[in-house]
Amino acid sequence: EGLLRRYPHVGAGFVHEGVSVPVQVVSGGVRVPWREEDLRGLGEAEAEGVFERWLAEDRVDRFDLARPPLLRFALFRLGEERFRLVMTNHHILLDGWSTPLVVRDLFALYERPGGE
């Protein structure tokens, strides 16, 4: 949610039906989907398989442009100090230039108490 406070457009949706041109809609109160999976109880190969299957499912889980946010996160714990963070977004939201900026700010927020 800290990212949405910094970048309100990241919580945008797009209306394209019933209008002459598509319109970006930025509304408040959007919650970013967050999933956590603890795979420490599995063997390394099994945990990797679970993660890869989830990635394949995530790739086909389409965003509805009219239902923001067009962004979601998943955190997989693979070991005591081994994690994988997955940020999935619709390409209309972020591009190759803006994604590294958003990720940089995500980690900056993570390092701050309270994520502000």
Side-chain angles (χ1 to χ4, degrees), residues 67-81:
R67 298 188 65 214
L70 305 178
L71 173 77
R72 61 182 172 258
F73 289 94
L75 180 67
F76 290 83
R77 186 167 192 173
L78 301 170
E80 291 307 312
E81 295 186 23

Side-chain angles (χ1 to χ4, degrees), residues 38-42 76-84:
D38 188 344
L39 304 178
R40 288 179 292 175
L42 305 177
F76 290 83
R77 186 167 192 173
L78 301 170
E80 291 307 312
E81 295 186 23
R82 188 167 169 237
F83 297 84
R84 286 198 180 157

Side-chain angles (χ1 to χ4, degrees), residues 39-61:
L39 304 178
R40 288 179 292 175
L42 305 177
E44 188 173 332
E46 187 179 1
E48 192 65 31
V50 168
F51 179 73
E52 291 298 326
R53 282 189 297 280
W54 179 85
L55 276 178
E57 292 170 8
D58 188 59
R59 284 185 192 106
V60 297
D61 187 7

Side-chain angles (χ1 to χ4, degrees), residues 64-111:
D64 178 347
L65 291 176
R67 298 188 65 214
L70 305 178
L71 173 77
R72 61 182 172 258
F73 289 94
L75 180 67
F76 290 83
R77 186 167 192 173
L78 301 170
E80 291 307 312
E81 295 186 23
R82 188 167 169 237
F83 297 84
R84 286 198 180 157
L85 175 65
V86 179
M87 180 179 88
T88 306
N89 64 273
H90 192 286
H91 64 90
I92 199 170
L93 191 64
L94 299 169
D95 61 13
W97 181 85
S98 58
T99 297
L101 301 176
V102 170
V103 170
R104 179 198 65 202
D105 284 357
L106 172 66
F107 287 117
L109 288 167
Y110 177 77
E111 290 177 345

Side-chain angles (χ1 to χ4, degrees), residues 12-28:
F14 295 83
V15 176
H16 57 90
E17 293 180 10
V19 294
S20 58
V21 294
V23 178
Q24 181 181 29
V25 178
V26 179
S27 59

